[in-house]
Amino acid sequence: MLLTDHNSVQRNLSALVDFSNLINSTLDIEFTLNNLLLTCFGKFHTTKGLVALTDGNNELKVIASKGFSDKVKNSFPKVNAAEIENCKELKKFLDEFNLPICREIKSSNKTIGVLILGERLVNRKFDNDDNEFINTLLSIAATAIDNSIGVKKLKTLNRELDSKVNQLSSLFDLSKEFSGILEIEMVGKLLVYSIIGQMLVSRYAVLTCDENSNCTILDSKFDYKLLDKALTEYSASQLTEVVKGKKLQEDFPSFSNLGVELLVPMIIKGKSKGIILLGPRISLQTYSRSDIEFVSSVGSLAIISIENAKLFKETVEKQRMEKDLELARNIQRNLLPNKIPKLKSFEIAAFNESARQVGGDYYDVIKLNDGKTLVAIADVSGKGVQAALMMANLQAFLKSISKQNIPLDEATNLINDLVSENTVMGNFITFFWAVLNEKEKKVTFVNAGHNPPLLIRNGEIKKMKKGGMILGVMETTIPYEATNIIVESDDTIILFTDGVTEAMNKLNQEYTDERFEELLKRNYSKSADELLKTIRHDVLEFTQNAEQSDDLTALVIKVL
């Protein structure tokens, strides 16, 4: 009897030594678990067994099994490693399939799995020696399993690390590529190729979004009509975080119905400036956190380049416009008189300041024959280049007609007809001109809807209103009327545009006609130059720190 026990112990020790040498010769978890089961099968003559190990949530998952159908393996209950002894579902599973052995596999006093064995073929129960053998076997196996799990995790981490290194390398290369591109279409293509190459997707869309959260399709392999329709249902302001899976189906069903599996916004300063939509991967793998981080990083590089490309395009366009406007400004400046002629009976001074680089105000002083001088002032509707072109036309008409010695009222009829022929509907010109006769000290004028110039005599103001309608509205049907005024020494005539009286301060208050007239009453006795400087100073002081809202033009005539 003692000899039999001795031989049994020797066999057990031999089996344990062989098992230990075998499983410690490799770090393959499947090899270790399969040999654990085979050793138990050889020792106990059972044909059924499984090993379940804990996952990241400490729940048991069947990793290796023999003698069980898929149906049995799939019915393995949800068991937490900390609740093995009291788990009713596990006991039910063991009873249902006649599994008498269920032993915990522990490493460092922590349960890392269970070994489950079926009944023995010889119909003999497991005795104490068998249980001790199993316990010893599991003690040896636990270390090997723990090591194998650690190595498997390390390999997984190494693969993830390699993937991260590759992604970082790709991002570094892409950052150099993106930084050198200033065309939005090229940035979009590079973005698409980068994502397709890394994620292996065949259906995708790249969108850019403006300040009003309106999105434009830069490139798409989804149905354009359906994508356009989906974009009308959501604004970019709603798409500020990565969305996938169930949340995408619930919150953005239109995108989900298109086949979108991943939505990645491209954010700048908290605002969505673009969106990347990705369909399923060709490999059918789901998008991992690492994948999403890569797409987000590439998207961030791309959207910065897209915004830079927009800014560059705007800058180039602005520079081109500024160059054109500067050229127009120089041309316009040449249309205004370079020098005011000196007269014996009249002193004339004028200034003009445009609200923009080019404006719509115009004045002129032209010497005629027989001691006569023509003075004119006009305000073209609008501002900018269009107003400047209308002003250029008016100047050309005026220069041509003034040399024909036509009476002022008839000349105004002719100018109105010419302006009407060359004016787009809705545009017009307020216009005033007068002929100064030095011999007779007479002023003949026609006012075509302009702010009435002010004649100041002995502190009293008379407005020079008579004439007719503004220029350019329609061809002349009612002839313009000319008015003659005999002027006296020290009389002062002020011509101005509404930019003077309607100048706005920072409180959006107007300078007003009343303030202007009061200023003139106090200062009309000054010379033309001095009075002009006084007007300009008062207007600029009133509008200090406010943006100039309209062109400023004034012309002062002092009778000597």
Side-chain angles (χ1 to χ4, degrees), residues 146-187:
D146 215 11
N147 291 338
S148 298
I149 291 172
V151 169
K152 187 175 182 180
K153 287 180 179 178
L154 185 60
K155 287 181 178 179
T156 301
L157 288 174
N158 283 336
R159 284 196 296 271
E160 291 177 357
L161 183 60
D162 288 341
S163 176
K164 280 289 184 184
V165 169
N166 290 333
Q167 288 182 0
L168 285 173
S169 178
S170 297
L171 287 173
F172 179 73
D173 293 337
L174 287 170
S175 67
K176 293 189 289 184
E177 293 288 339
F178 279 123
S179 64
I181 302 175
L182 289 173
E183 295 180 15
I184 295 175
E185 292 76 14
M186 291 297 294
V187 174

Short mmCIF file of all heavy atoms in Angstrom, two decimals, residues 146-187:
data_model
loop_
_atom_site.label_atom_id
_atom_site.label_comp_id
_atom_site.label_asym_id
_atom_site.label_seq_id
_atom_site.Cartn_x
_atom_site.Cartn_y
_atom_site.Cartn_z
N ASP A 146 -0.04 34.58 -15.66
CA ASP A 146 0.18 35.99 -15.36
C ASP A 146 1.26 36.58 -16.27
O ASP A 146 1.12 37.68 -16.81
CB ASP A 146 0.58 36.15 -13.89
CG ASP A 146 0.03 37.43 -13.29
OD1 ASP A 146 -0.81 38.07 -13.94
OD2 ASP A 146 0.46 37.79 -12.18
N ASN A 147 2.36 35.81 -16.42
CA ASN A 147 3.44 36.28 -17.29
C ASN A 147 2.98 36.40 -18.74
O ASN A 147 3.32 37.36 -19.45
CB ASN A 147 4.64 35.32 -17.20
CG ASN A 147 5.33 35.40 -15.85
OD1 ASN A 147 5.22 36.41 -15.14
ND2 ASN A 147 6.06 34.35 -15.48
N SER A 148 2.21 35.40 -19.18
CA SER A 148 1.72 35.42 -20.57
C SER A 148 0.80 36.61 -20.81
O SER A 148 0.87 37.27 -21.86
CB SER A 148 0.98 34.11 -20.87
OG SER A 148 1.85 33.02 -20.77
N ILE A 149 -0.09 36.86 -19.81
CA ILE A 149 -1.01 38.01 -19.94
C ILE A 149 -0.21 39.31 -19.99
O ILE A 149 -0.48 40.21 -20.80
CB ILE A 149 -2.01 38.03 -18.77
CG1 ILE A 149 -2.98 36.86 -18.86
CG2 ILE A 149 -2.78 39.36 -18.75
CD1 ILE A 149 -3.88 36.70 -17.65
N GLY A 150 0.82 39.39 -19.12
CA GLY A 150 1.65 40.59 -19.10
C GLY A 150 2.36 40.80 -20.42
O GLY A 150 2.42 41.94 -20.95
N VAL A 151 2.90 39.70 -20.97
CA VAL A 151 3.60 39.81 -22.26
C VAL A 151 2.62 40.18 -23.37
O VAL A 151 2.93 40.99 -24.27
CB VAL A 151 4.31 38.47 -22.59
CG1 VAL A 151 4.80 38.46 -24.04
CG2 VAL A 151 5.47 38.25 -21.64
N LYS A 152 1.40 39.59 -23.32
CA LYS A 152 0.38 39.91 -24.33
C LYS A 152 0.01 41.39 -24.28
O LYS A 152 -0.11 42.06 -25.32
CB LYS A 152 -0.85 39.04 -24.12
CG LYS A 152 -1.89 39.18 -25.22
CD LYS A 152 -3.04 38.21 -25.02
CE LYS A 152 -4.05 38.34 -26.17
NZ LYS A 152 -5.19 37.41 -25.99
N LYS A 153 -0.17 41.90 -23.04
CA LYS A 153 -0.47 43.33 -22.89
C LYS A 153 0.68 44.19 -23.41
O LYS A 153 0.47 45.22 -24.05
CB LYS A 153 -0.74 43.66 -21.42
CG LYS A 153 -2.06 43.15 -20.89
CD LYS A 153 -2.25 43.52 -19.43
CE LYS A 153 -3.60 43.03 -18.89
NZ LYS A 153 -3.76 43.35 -17.46
N LEU A 154 1.91 43.73 -23.10
CA LEU A 154 3.09 44.46 -23.54
C LEU A 154 3.16 44.50 -25.07
O LEU A 154 3.46 45.55 -25.66
CB LEU A 154 4.35 43.82 -22.97
CG LEU A 154 5.68 44.55 -23.24
CD1 LEU A 154 5.63 45.97 -22.66
CD2 LEU A 154 6.85 43.78 -22.66
N LYS A 155 2.86 43.34 -25.69
CA LYS A 155 2.86 43.30 -27.15
C LYS A 155 1.80 44.24 -27.73
O LYS A 155 2.02 44.93 -28.72
CB LYS A 155 2.61 41.87 -27.64
CG LYS A 155 3.79 40.94 -27.44
CD LYS A 155 3.47 39.54 -27.96
CE LYS A 155 4.67 38.60 -27.80
NZ LYS A 155 4.37 37.23 -28.27
N THR A 156 0.63 44.22 -27.07
CA THR A 156 -0.46 45.11 -27.52
C THR A 156 -0.03 46.57 -27.39
O THR A 156 -0.25 47.39 -28.29
CB THR A 156 -1.73 44.87 -26.69
OG1 THR A 156 -2.13 43.51 -26.82
CG2 THR A 156 -2.87 45.77 -27.15
N LEU A 157 0.58 46.89 -26.24
CA LEU A 157 1.05 48.26 -26.03
C LEU A 157 2.12 48.64 -27.05
O LEU A 157 2.16 49.77 -27.54
CB LEU A 157 1.60 48.41 -24.60
CG LEU A 157 0.56 48.42 -23.47
CD1 LEU A 157 1.26 48.42 -22.11
CD2 LEU A 157 -0.35 49.64 -23.58
N ASN A 158 3.01 47.65 -27.34
CA ASN A 158 4.05 47.91 -28.33
C ASN A 158 3.46 48.17 -29.70
O ASN A 158 3.92 49.04 -30.44
CB ASN A 158 5.04 46.73 -28.39
CG ASN A 158 6.00 46.74 -27.21
OD1 ASN A 158 6.25 47.80 -26.62
ND2 ASN A 158 6.54 45.58 -26.87
N ARG A 159 2.42 47.37 -30.05
CA ARG A 159 1.77 47.59 -31.34
C ARG A 159 1.11 48.96 -31.37
O ARG A 159 1.19 49.69 -32.38
CB ARG A 159 0.73 46.50 -31.60
CG ARG A 159 1.32 45.15 -32.02
CD ARG A 159 0.25 44.26 -32.62
NE ARG A 159 -0.78 43.92 -31.65
CZ ARG A 159 -0.71 42.86 -30.84
NH1 ARG A 159 0.34 42.05 -30.89
NH2 ARG A 159 -1.69 42.61 -30.00
N GLU A 160 0.42 49.32 -30.26
CA GLU A 160 -0.21 50.64 -30.19
C GLU A 160 0.84 51.74 -30.25
O GLU A 160 0.63 52.78 -30.89
CB GLU A 160 -1.03 50.76 -28.90
CG GLU A 160 -2.27 49.89 -28.88
CD GLU A 160 -3.02 49.98 -27.57
OE1 GLU A 160 -2.52 50.68 -26.65
OE2 GLU A 160 -4.10 49.36 -27.45
N LEU A 161 1.98 51.49 -29.56
CA LEU A 161 3.06 52.48 -29.57
C LEU A 161 3.64 52.64 -30.97
O LEU A 161 3.88 53.76 -31.43
CB LEU A 161 4.16 52.06 -28.59
CG LEU A 161 5.34 53.03 -28.42
CD1 LEU A 161 4.85 54.39 -27.93
CD2 LEU A 161 6.37 52.46 -27.47
N ASP A 162 3.83 51.50 -31.66
CA ASP A 162 4.33 51.57 -33.04
C ASP A 162 3.35 52.32 -33.93
O ASP A 162 3.75 53.13 -34.77
CB ASP A 162 4.52 50.14 -33.60
CG ASP A 162 5.72 49.44 -32.99
OD1 ASP A 162 6.59 50.15 -32.43
OD2 ASP A 162 5.79 48.21 -33.05
N SER A 163 2.05 52.03 -33.70
CA SER A 163 1.02 52.74 -34.48
C SER A 163 1.06 54.23 -34.19
O SER A 163 0.96 55.05 -35.11
CB SER A 163 -0.36 52.17 -34.14
OG SER A 163 -1.37 52.87 -34.80
N LYS A 164 1.22 54.57 -32.90
CA LYS A 164 1.29 55.99 -32.51
C LYS A 164 2.51 56.66 -33.14
O LYS A 164 2.44 57.79 -33.62
CB LYS A 164 1.36 56.12 -30.99
CG LYS A 164 0.03 55.99 -30.28
CD LYS A 164 -0.83 57.21 -30.55
CE LYS A 164 -2.13 57.14 -29.76
NZ LYS A 164 -3.02 58.27 -30.09
N VAL A 165 3.65 55.95 -33.11
CA VAL A 165 4.88 56.50 -33.69
C VAL A 165 4.68 56.75 -35.18
O VAL A 165 5.07 57.80 -35.72
CB VAL A 165 6.07 55.55 -33.44
CG1 VAL A 165 7.28 56.00 -34.27
CG2 VAL A 165 6.43 55.52 -31.97
N ASN A 166 4.05 55.77 -35.85
CA ASN A 166 3.79 55.93 -37.28
C ASN A 166 2.84 57.10 -37.55
O ASN A 166 3.03 57.88 -38.50
CB ASN A 166 3.18 54.65 -37.86
CG ASN A 166 4.19 53.51 -37.92
OD1 ASN A 166 5.39 53.75 -38.03
ND2 ASN A 166 3.72 52.28 -37.85
N GLN A 167 1.82 57.21 -36.68
CA GLN A 167 0.87 58.31 -36.84
C GLN A 167 1.54 59.65 -36.59
O GLN A 167 1.30 60.63 -37.32
CB GLN A 167 -0.32 58.12 -35.90
CG GLN A 167 -1.26 57.00 -36.30
CD GLN A 167 -2.45 56.87 -35.38
OE1 GLN A 167 -2.60 57.64 -34.43
NE2 GLN A 167 -3.32 55.91 -35.65
N LEU A 168 2.38 59.70 -35.55
CA LEU A 168 3.10 60.95 -35.25
C LEU A 168 4.03 61.32 -36.39
O LEU A 168 4.17 62.50 -36.76
CB LEU A 168 3.88 60.81 -33.94
CG LEU A 168 3.07 60.85 -32.65
CD1 LEU A 168 3.94 60.53 -31.45
CD2 LEU A 168 2.42 62.23 -32.47
N SER A 169 4.69 60.30 -36.95
CA SER A 169 5.57 60.55 -38.08
C SER A 169 4.77 61.07 -39.27
O SER A 169 5.19 62.03 -39.95
CB SER A 169 6.29 59.25 -38.47
OG SER A 169 7.12 59.45 -39.58
N SER A 170 3.60 60.45 -39.49
CA SER A 170 2.73 60.91 -40.58
C SER A 170 2.26 62.34 -40.33
O SER A 170 2.24 63.16 -41.25
CB SER A 170 1.52 59.98 -40.72
OG SER A 170 1.91 58.68 -41.05
N LEU A 171 1.87 62.61 -39.08
CA LEU A 171 1.40 63.96 -38.74
C LEU A 171 2.51 64.99 -38.93
O LEU A 171 2.26 66.11 -39.39
CB LEU A 171 0.89 64.00 -37.30
CG LEU A 171 -0.44 63.30 -37.03
CD1 LEU A 171 -0.73 63.26 -35.54
CD2 LEU A 171 -1.57 64.02 -37.75
N PHE A 172 3.74 64.61 -38.56
CA PHE A 172 4.87 65.53 -38.72
C PHE A 172 5.08 65.85 -40.21
O PHE A 172 5.25 67.01 -40.59
CB PHE A 172 6.13 64.92 -38.13
CG PHE A 172 7.35 65.77 -38.27
CD1 PHE A 172 7.51 66.92 -37.51
CD2 PHE A 172 8.34 65.43 -39.19
CE1 PHE A 172 8.63 67.72 -37.65
CE2 PHE A 172 9.47 66.22 -39.35
CZ PHE A 172 9.62 67.38 -38.57
N ASP A 173 5.05 64.80 -41.03
CA ASP A 173 5.22 65.01 -42.47
C ASP A 173 4.06 65.81 -43.05
O ASP A 173 4.25 66.70 -43.89
CB ASP A 173 5.31 63.66 -43.20
CG ASP A 173 6.59 62.90 -42.84
OD1 ASP A 173 7.56 63.55 -42.42
OD2 ASP A 173 6.60 61.66 -42.97
N LEU A 174 2.84 65.49 -42.57
CA LEU A 174 1.66 66.20 -43.07
C LEU A 174 1.67 67.66 -42.67
O LEU A 174 1.23 68.53 -43.43
CB LEU A 174 0.38 65.53 -42.56
CG LEU A 174 0.03 64.18 -43.20
CD1 LEU A 174 -1.11 63.52 -42.44
CD2 LEU A 174 -0.35 64.37 -44.65
N SER A 175 2.17 67.94 -41.46
CA SER A 175 2.22 69.34 -41.01
C SER A 175 3.08 70.18 -41.94
O SER A 175 2.76 71.33 -42.24
CB SER A 175 2.75 69.43 -39.57
OG SER A 175 4.11 69.04 -39.51
N LYS A 176 4.18 69.58 -42.43
CA LYS A 176 5.05 70.29 -43.37
C LYS A 176 4.34 70.47 -44.71
O LYS A 176 4.46 71.52 -45.36
CB LYS A 176 6.37 69.54 -43.54
CG LYS A 176 7.24 69.53 -42.28
CD LYS A 176 8.63 68.98 -42.54
CE LYS A 176 8.58 67.49 -42.77
NZ LYS A 176 9.95 66.90 -42.92
N GLU A 177 3.61 69.41 -45.13
CA GLU A 177 2.88 69.49 -46.39
C GLU A 177 1.78 70.56 -46.33
O GLU A 177 1.64 71.39 -47.23
CB GLU A 177 2.27 68.13 -46.73
CG GLU A 177 3.28 67.04 -47.05
CD GLU A 177 3.94 67.24 -48.39
OE1 GLU A 177 3.37 67.95 -49.23
OE2 GLU A 177 5.03 66.68 -48.59
N PHE A 178 0.98 70.50 -45.24
CA PHE A 178 -0.13 71.45 -45.12
C PHE A 178 0.36 72.89 -45.05
O PHE A 178 -0.26 73.80 -45.61
CB PHE A 178 -0.96 71.13 -43.86
CG PHE A 178 -1.94 70.01 -44.05
CD1 PHE A 178 -1.91 68.89 -43.23
CD2 PHE A 178 -2.90 70.07 -45.04
CE1 PHE A 178 -2.81 67.86 -43.39
CE2 PHE A 178 -3.81 69.04 -45.21
CZ PHE A 178 -3.77 67.93 -44.38
N SER A 179 1.46 73.10 -44.32
CA SER A 179 1.96 74.48 -44.14
C SER A 179 2.41 75.11 -45.45
O SER A 179 2.49 76.34 -45.56
CB SER A 179 3.11 74.49 -43.13
OG SER A 179 4.21 73.75 -43.62
N GLY A 180 2.72 74.26 -46.45
CA GLY A 180 3.21 74.80 -47.72
C GLY A 180 2.13 74.97 -48.76
O GLY A 180 2.43 75.35 -49.90
N ILE A 181 0.87 74.70 -48.41
CA ILE A 181 -0.23 74.80 -49.38
C ILE A 181 -1.13 75.97 -49.03
O ILE A 181 -1.55 76.12 -47.89
CB ILE A 181 -1.06 73.49 -49.39
CG1 ILE A 181 -0.17 72.29 -49.74
CG2 ILE A 181 -2.20 73.60 -50.40
CD1 ILE A 181 -0.90 70.96 -49.65
N LEU A 182 -1.42 76.79 -50.03
CA LEU A 182 -2.29 77.96 -49.81
C LEU A 182 -3.48 77.93 -50.76
O LEU A 182 -4.07 78.96 -51.07
CB LEU A 182 -1.49 79.26 -50.00
CG LEU A 182 -0.48 79.56 -48.89
CD1 LEU A 182 0.38 80.77 -49.25
CD2 LEU A 182 -1.18 79.78 -47.55
N GLU A 183 -3.84 76.72 -51.23
CA GLU A 183 -5.04 76.55 -52.05
C GLU A 183 -5.98 75.59 -51.32
O GLU A 183 -5.60 74.46 -50.99
CB GLU A 183 -4.67 75.98 -53.42
CG GLU A 183 -3.82 76.93 -54.26
CD GLU A 183 -3.49 76.33 -55.62
OE1 GLU A 183 -4.15 75.34 -56.01
OE2 GLU A 183 -2.56 76.84 -56.26
N ILE A 184 -7.19 76.04 -51.09
CA ILE A 184 -8.15 75.27 -50.29
C ILE A 184 -8.41 73.90 -50.91
O ILE A 184 -8.47 72.88 -50.21
CB ILE A 184 -9.47 76.06 -50.14
CG1 ILE A 184 -9.23 77.34 -49.33
CG2 ILE A 184 -10.54 75.20 -49.47
CD1 ILE A 184 -10.42 78.24 -49.22
N GLU A 185 -8.54 73.84 -52.25
CA GLU A 185 -8.82 72.57 -52.91
C GLU A 185 -7.69 71.57 -52.69
O GLU A 185 -7.93 70.38 -52.45
CB GLU A 185 -9.04 72.79 -54.41
CG GLU A 185 -10.31 73.55 -54.77
CD GLU A 185 -10.19 75.04 -54.50
OE1 GLU A 185 -9.05 75.51 -54.29
OE2 GLU A 185 -11.23 75.72 -54.48
N MET A 186 -6.44 72.05 -52.75
CA MET A 186 -5.29 71.16 -52.55
C MET A 186 -5.21 70.67 -51.11
O MET A 186 -4.86 69.52 -50.85
CB MET A 186 -4.00 71.91 -52.92
CG MET A 186 -3.87 72.19 -54.41
SD MET A 186 -3.78 70.66 -55.38
CE MET A 186 -2.22 70.00 -54.81
N VAL A 187 -5.55 71.55 -50.16
CA VAL A 187 -5.58 71.14 -48.75
C VAL A 187 -6.61 70.03 -48.56
O VAL A 187 -6.36 69.03 -47.88
CB VAL A 187 -5.90 72.33 -47.83
CG1 VAL A 187 -6.06 71.86 -46.39
CG2 VAL A 187 -4.80 73.38 -47.91
#
